[in-house]
Structures are given as C-alpha cells and as structure tokens.
Amino acid sequence: NLEEKKAKMFSGAKINTTEGRSVLHVALRAPRTKAIVVDGVDQVAEVHKVLDSIQAFSGRVRSGAHVGCTGKPLTTVVAVSIGGSYL
C-alpha cells in the first residue's frame, strides 16, 4: 500500500533494499524541528548542520570574504552533479 510505504519513508525505515539503508530525501526538506532518527542519529539535525555550513560558506563567497588561490574573490562557480548528488 502506498500510504504505508510513504509512512515508512518519512519515519526513516530502511526501505532501500538494494543498499540496505533509509531513503532520506525527506530529511533534506524537513523543518529543523522535525526528527527522523536512524540508528540513534537524528538525520534532520545532521542535514541542518550541513545546510548551515553551506549557507555560511556561500555567504562568504558572495561577500568576497572567501577568496581563491590568487587571493581574489571568486566570480564563477561550477557545480558538478551526478545522479542528483553534488560533488
């Protein structure tokens, strides 16, 4: 049943049978106040740590505080993505 499978996905159940792990796409979009605990670790909190880090880094890039190896502010960013995951 679709609703049961959705509920398992949102709870962090290990429904990815190929890799034997949770499907945590929902943790990427969950509010900071939501908890999805897998193997004792709140995945939403972990995601928000990374999102906070990305926000801080991108702020430094935009403001010019983060510079490249030349000592000059970055002007171009190239994002490489394979299968939806940024490298």
Side-chain angles (χ1 to χ4, degrees), residues 22-84:
S22 301
V23 178
L24 295 170
H25 303 86
V26 294
L28 293 171
R29 294 164 184 85
R32 194 176 293 270
T33 56
K34 173 82 172 151
I36 299 174
V37 179
V38 177
D39 296 333
V41 178
D42 181 357
Q43 299 301 314
V44 175
E46 293 299 307
V47 164
H48 280 279
K49 284 182 196 175
V50 174
L51 291 175
D52 291 343
S53 177
I54 291 168
Q55 184 176 27
F57 173 74
S58 60
R60 290 190 305 275
V61 169
R62 288 186 184 109
S63 73
H66 184 87
V67 296
C69 62
T70 64
K72 297 177 183 176
L74 302 175
T75 60
T76 305
V77 175
V78 177
V80 178
S81 175
I82 299 173

Side-chain angles (χ1 to χ4, degrees), residues 2-3 21 24-27 35 64 68 87:
L2 179 61
E3 290 304 315
R21 62 185 185 151
L24 295 170
H25 303 86
V26 294
L87 303 177

